[in-house]
Amino acid sequence: MSIEGILAICIAGDRSTIRNTLHMRKLLNTLYVTTPESYLTRERENVVVRVDNEEKFRIPIHNLEGIVCFGYMGASPQLMRLCSDNNVGLSFLTPHGKFLARVNGRVRGNVLLRRTQYRRADSRDESLEIAKSFVIGKIVNCRTVLGRGIRDHGAVIDCDKVRAVDALLIENLLKIEGCEAADTLRGIEGNCAKFYFVTLDELILKQKDDFYLDERNRRPPLDNMNALLSFLYTLLAHDVESALETVGLDPYVGFFHTDRPGRASLALDMMEELRPFMADRLALTLVNLRQISGDDFFKKENGGVILTENGRKEVIGAWQKRKQDTITHPYLNEKILIGLLPYVQAMLMARFLRGDIDGYPPFFMN
């Protein structure tokens, strides 16, 4: 089967209902608290950030859709209750971006939707078919990132190397339709990721002494570029998990990533197709436009590389600005803010599980 045949995911759903729901959805702010000594409290309907018991910032809770704290001081129980009552996700990370915990309120998801999700996840065949959509989306979007590199910078990069990897991605993409086991699919995804990240180094055009990709490494990341990617993936994971909870799905029960205690498997599933567009391209932009430099990172005694406080602020600022840009969603054929993309994909997944559309349409970047 041709690659066009694999990507021709024909869905006979009613797009108008999805568009109407989307028009009612507003992209709110995510509050990123980067000062490690910050403590969050509640005053009436406001989130108050204090450092050494001195108020530094406040914002009404209805202006927020999420809070991410980089520090150990924490938040008051009253503030947690305020977030819970208003469906505002509250996540805690170390000062350097390692996930610690997430506070969730009462489960508001539709019980029928979640029961359908669990049944599908327990079905080997149904789970595999859904997982294929995530992997197809990821590989296609990785190809688009590399293709843009050739189009925009063909005179200064090794185009033969990029085209060779693109051919390998196509070869693996064509294997997905006949894939009959989840482990085989994971092997395809892993091979493609390895090819892709090595080649992504070609698209790092500036500051090559400080930014390079010999391989993808994490826990801990061992170089600046891997540290930058890991940090962006952490921000994306928060947004995807919040989106899944908003539409009533369980972020911890997925179809591609195996279930583990504390692992938001469905959020990780959905991230696969979004990483190249929302995180990888932004990382390249930050480096190539010199919006971030080697001085924004430092190496710990164990060899792990982390962002400095100033580096985190720069990346978060760029992340928030990027979320305000607009794109035309390929399935809805509707202009949306990039920040709403995780919500749109979560909504499409919910509608697929309810039977409103015939399949889950992964996001394909243009």
Side-chain angles (χ1 to χ4, degrees):
M1 177 180 286
S2 68
I3 185 171
E4 290 80 6
I6 289 180
L7 299 182
I9 301 174
C10 298
I11 300 171
D14 180 6
R15 289 177 172 84
S16 62
T17 304
I18 301 175
R19 292 192 188 104
N20 291 338
T21 305
L22 179 60
H23 288 155
M24 293 185 290
R25 174 71 178 178
K26 181 180 180 182
L27 179 61
L28 299 176
N29 299 309
T30 299
L31 174 62
Y32 296 94
V33 183
T34 59
T35 303
E37 298 79 16
S38 298
Y39 184 74
L40 276 65
T41 62
R42 171 182 183 174
E43 186 171 312
R44 297 185 180 87
E45 298 301 302
N46 296 297
V47 178
V48 180
V49 181
R50 298 182 182 275
V51 176
D52 295 330
N53 209 33
E54 179 183 350
E55 181 178 325
K56 296 295 185 179
F57 180 78
R58 70 168 52 210
I59 185 171
I61 190 68
H62 63 260
N63 287 341
L64 295 174
E65 64 180 356
I67 302 174
V68 181
C69 302
F70 295 87
Y72 297 110
M73 296 299 289
S76 70
Q78 293 85 357
L79 187 277
M80 294 181 188
R81 170 68 184 273
L82 181 66
C83 291
S84 173
D85 290 346
N86 289 273
N87 199 30
V88 173
L90 176 58
S91 298
F92 295 96
L93 288 73
T94 69
H96 307 303
K98 181 180 179 180
F99 178 80
L100 293 174
R102 180 178 173 88
V103 176
N104 296 316
R106 296 183 298 275
V107 176
R108 293 178 172 82
N110 182 309
V111 64
L112 298 179
L113 173 61
R114 290 201 175 200
R115 288 182 67 180
T116 300
Q117 177 187 355
Y118 301 152
R119 285 195 297 269
R120 293 285 184 97
D122 286 339
S123 169
R124 173 185 174 276
D125 293 338
E126 291 185 88
S127 187
L128 178 61
E129 288 307 307
I130 298 171
K132 287 180 180 180
S133 295
F134 296 129
V135 178
I136 289 172
K138 175 177 182 173
I139 297 175
V140 171
N141 290 336
C142 287
R143 291 192 61 227
T144 302
V145 170
L146 298 180
R148 284 193 173 191
I150 292 177
R151 184 192 69 189
D152 297 338
H153 309 291
V156 294
I157 67 173
D158 187 344
C159 291
D160 289 340
K161 176 181 177 180
V162 177
R163 290 192 182 100
V165 169
D166 183 64
L168 289 172
L169 295 181
I170 294 174
E171 180 182 332
N172 280 268
L173 191 61
L174 293 169
K175 295 177 181 178
I176 292 177
E177 184 186 32
C179 181
E180 296 181 352
D183 286 342
T184 304
L185 183 63
R186 293 188 189 101
I188 292 172
E189 184 275 331
N191 286 335
C192 289
K194 182 178 180 180
F195 298 146
Y196 168 71
F197 280 115
V198 171
T199 313
L200 203 63
D201 182 69
E202 284 293 321
L203 306 189
I204 303 172
L205 307 176
K206 307 292 183 181
Q207 309 184 80
K208 292 292 285 189
D209 289 339
D210 292 321
F211 295 94
Y212 48 84
L213 264 177
D214 293 330
E215 62 178 352
R216 174 74 179 123
N217 54 65
R218 54 198 178 96
R219 298 177 185 172
L222 301 177
D223 56 70
N224 294 347
M225 197 65 186
N226 272 292
L228 177 58
L229 288 170
S230 291
F231 188 77
L232 286 169
Y233 294 161
T234 297
L235 300 181
L236 178 58
H238 173 273
D239 287 1
V240 173
E241 187 172 343
S242 295
L244 291 167
E245 290 174 345
T246 298
V247 302
L249 290 167
D250 187 339
Y252 290 85
V253 178
F255 306 101
F256 179 59
H257 289 83
T258 55
D259 292 342
R260 292 181 188 172
R263 171 195 258 187
S265 295
L266 184 56
L268 294 175
D269 288 353
M270 193 162 288
M271 278 179 62
E272 294 295 347
E273 67 195 71
L274 300 180
R275 288 187 199 210
F277 178 68
M278 294 190 70
D280 299 351
R281 283 188 59 202
L282 180 57
L284 291 170
T285 297
L286 286 167
V287 173
N288 289 336
L289 295 184
R290 301 183 187 274
Q291 294 175 257
I292 198 165
S293 71
D295 293 336
D296 292 312
F297 300 80
F298 70 91
K299 181 171 287 191
K300 300 193 296 183
E301 292 181 359
N302 68 352
V305 177
I306 55 179
L307 279 155
T308 65
E309 182 175 351
N310 181 70
R312 292 196 302 273
K313 290 179 179 178
E314 288 293 333
V315 175
I316 288 170
W319 174 257
Q320 291 287 69
K321 183 177 179 181
R322 174 66 171 152
K323 286 164 65 174
Q324 297 294 330
D325 292 342
T326 60
I327 58 168
T328 299
H329 192 279
Y331 173 70
L332 299 179
N333 194 28
E334 185 90 359
K335 286 191 178 297
I336 66 167
L337 296 173
I338 288 176
L340 286 178
L341 185 53
Y343 173 77
V344 172
Q345 294 307 121
M347 183 170 56
L348 290 169
M349 175 58 71
R351 293 187 65 80
F352 161 61
L353 293 175
R354 288 192 183 103
D356 297 334
I357 54 179
D358 295 334
Y360 169 72
F363 170 77
F364 297 131
M365 61 185 285
N366 294 320

